[in-house]
Amino acid sequence: MKRQMVTLVTFLIAATVWGQDLEKVDYISPFIDGVAAVKKGKVWGFIDESGTMVVDFRNDLIISKQGDYGYPVFNSDRCLFTEKRNGISYFGYIDKTGKTIIEPRFLNATHFTDGWAVALELVKRRVGTNELLEKPLVSYDYFEVIINNQGEVEHYLLDKPIHIALDKEYLRRPPNISCKVLTANLIARLNSDKSWTIKKIE
């Protein structure tokens, strides 16, 4: 009886370990931030260093160009994803369980670097009232901002907001981001003449 119990326990452990194998995976990225991206068909997920699937396969993760390859990445415990609403793409972030931590509210956003990301924060302003329809008239602008990994705005990177028509025919692609995070203290801004300016962040 004891031998049968040991055999059963051994079988259950083996089944637990080997039952989680991923088969027919098309691509496996290097481990970054403790996880590796895995591709199956047109969807991506993440495994941890034990081979356990921590983020199930999904089709909304944003690809980061890494050398000759591109795949989703985690940095600062966040991965960028997108969601379409009324034909317009909005960007947010998940954690390593696949839970949405930063709601998709940005018109564009970068992957995190050293705890910071650059995002386009949308601002809605009421500019009047349509008297005939008795509806408010609104205007939309966006700021280029640095956010922390909770989605809170830490720094505004533009001197003034940029006006935008929030319409899928106008916004067929996300607006460009002009800044990128270099380190926890430095950003680089792309100038109109294609040169870069390096700025310190206090």
Side-chain angles (χ1 to χ4, degrees), residues 32-33 64 66 73-80 92-94 101-102 106 109-119 146-152 154 181:
I32 301 173
D33 208 27
S64 173
Q66 304 286 330
V73 295
F74 268 93
N75 188 297
S76 308
D77 198 38
R78 299 289 178 263
C79 180
L80 187 60
Y93 298 85
I94 60 171
I101 297 298
I102 302 173
F106 304 110
T110 67
H111 297 276
F112 272 87
T113 300
D114 292 327
W116 306 114
V118 179
I146 289 181
I147 59 171
N148 62 27
N149 72 350
Q150 296 302 310
E152 299 162 336
E154 296 283 348
V181 177

Side-chain angles (χ1 to χ4, degrees), residues 22 38 43-47 53-61 94 96-98:
L22 292 175
V38 289
V43 292
W44 291 89
F46 286 91
I47 58 172
M53 198 86 184
V54 291
V55 177
D56 204 2
F57 290 108
R58 49 196 290 172
N59 63 2
D60 58 354
L61 302 178
I94 60 171
K96 289 177 187 170
T97 68

Side-chain angles (χ1 to χ4, degrees), residues 111-175:
H111 297 276
F112 272 87
T113 300
D114 292 327
W116 306 114
V118 179
L120 301 184
E121 176 88 308
L122 185 64
V123 178
K124 177 181 176 181
R125 293 185 298 114
R126 182 169 176 166
V127 294
T129 303
N130 184 321
E131 301 294 343
L132 185 62
L133 300 176
E134 297 182 348
K135 289 186 176 181
L137 296 174
V138 297
S139 176
Y140 293 94
D141 302 298
Y142 69 83
F143 287 91
E144 194 162 339
V145 297
I146 289 181
I147 59 171
N148 62 27
N149 72 350
Q150 296 302 310
E152 299 162 336
V153 174
E154 296 283 348
H155 302 281
Y156 286 84
L157 301 175
L158 299 178
D159 298 330
K160 57 184 179 179
I162 295 175
H163 181 71
I164 196 163
L166 201 63
D167 183 279
K168 65 181 180 180
E169 295 302 318
Y170 178 78
L171 277 178
R172 294 182 180 179
R173 297 179 60 187

